[in-house]
Amino acid sequence: MYTILVSTQNENMKLAKVLQDLLQKEGKENQLIDLVDLNLPLHNSAVQEKDGIPKKVQNLYETMDKSHSFILVTAEYNFGVPAVLKNAIDWITVVNKDFRKVFTQKNVLLSTHSGGGGQDVLDIMRAQFTKLGAMVYADEIHTTYQKAFELESSKKVLLSFSSTK
């Protein structure tokens, strides 16, 4: 299963839904998760020790654990990763004693629609998910307000990515 994680709405949600539709047309099982709507509490180790891991985080972990591939769709905030994505990663990495377990040997496709350049967030995610043990796909889907979404090239990237397991 492909899990599409969207950490910003508006243009990135539109992009995620296009990618989801392309996967569905290819018969690829997938699930889109809106991390904004998931509304995870801010990760805090003291709260975690006191209250445990929230059910929403456990559910997200279970979904991600069953997935063989992730597609990350996010904007670039101040040359970096949006807080909602960082927070979700922080929570996911504390569910299991092996903090890399859910990412190890999983395929990851990075994508962004950013008002700025967007390359910084792609580079940061590539470094982070590689260190978490994921196999980050070389190609990316990268759009901005100045560089419109290109259906055919994005479709080629997605189809090539979805042929890897």
Side-chain angles (χ1 to χ4, degrees):
M1 177 171 70
Y2 296 84
T3 297
I4 304 168
L5 298 168
V6 187
S7 61
T8 59
Q9 298 177 332
N10 303 326
E11 296 302 317
N12 281 284
M13 183 56 75
K14 290 177 192 173
L15 175 58
K17 287 182 178 178
V18 168
L19 299 178
Q20 182 181 39
D21 184 55
L22 290 171
L23 284 172
Q24 288 171 336
K25 286 179 180 172
E26 292 298 315
K28 306 290 184 180
E29 181 184 2
N30 67 82
Q31 181 174 357
L32 189 148
I33 298 174
D34 182 342
L35 294 173
V36 175
D37 279 349
L38 197 56
N39 197 27
L40 298 177
L42 187 61
H43 181 260
N44 176 314
S45 59
V47 172
Q48 178 188 335
E49 286 178 20
K50 179 178 160 247
D51 299 333
I53 296 175
K55 184 71 174 155
K56 287 192 242 184
V57 171
Q58 292 174 350
N59 292 342
L60 176 60
Y61 182 91
E62 289 168 14
T63 297
M64 292 176 69
D65 196 42
K66 289 186 266 184
S67 299
H68 57 71
S69 300
F70 305 119
I71 299 172
L72 289 126
V73 186
T74 190
E76 180 178 288
Y77 283 5
N78 302 308
F79 311 102
V81 177
V84 71
L85 177 58
K86 175 71 170 95
N87 188 52
I89 294 166
D90 290 346
W91 272 117
I92 291 302
T93 60
V94 299
V95 173
N96 190 292
K97 287 181 184 176
D98 176 359
F99 72 98
R100 290 185 176 113
K101 181 187 179 298
V102 80
F103 298 105
T104 300
Q105 298 297 302
K106 304 273 181 97
N107 297 313
V108 172
L109 174 65
L110 305 175
S111 60
T112 185
H113 175 89
S114 294
Q119 192 60 53
D120 288 320
V121 74
L122 294 170
D123 293 344
I124 289 166
M125 288 192 300
R126 179 172 302 285
Q128 184 170 28
F129 286 98
T130 298
K131 288 181 179 192
L132 287 170
M135 297 178 300
V136 182
Y137 195 64
D139 290 330
E140 303 161 339
I141 297 175
H142 184 177
T143 71
T144 66
Y145 290 111
Q146 295 77 31
K147 181 184 171 224
F149 177 75
E150 296 174 7
L151 179 61
E152 289 308 311
S153 65
S154 296
K155 189 175 182 179
K156 285 179 186 176
V157 168
L158 186 63
L159 293 177
S160 176
F161 172 74
S162 68
S163 70
T164 62
K165 271 203 178 177

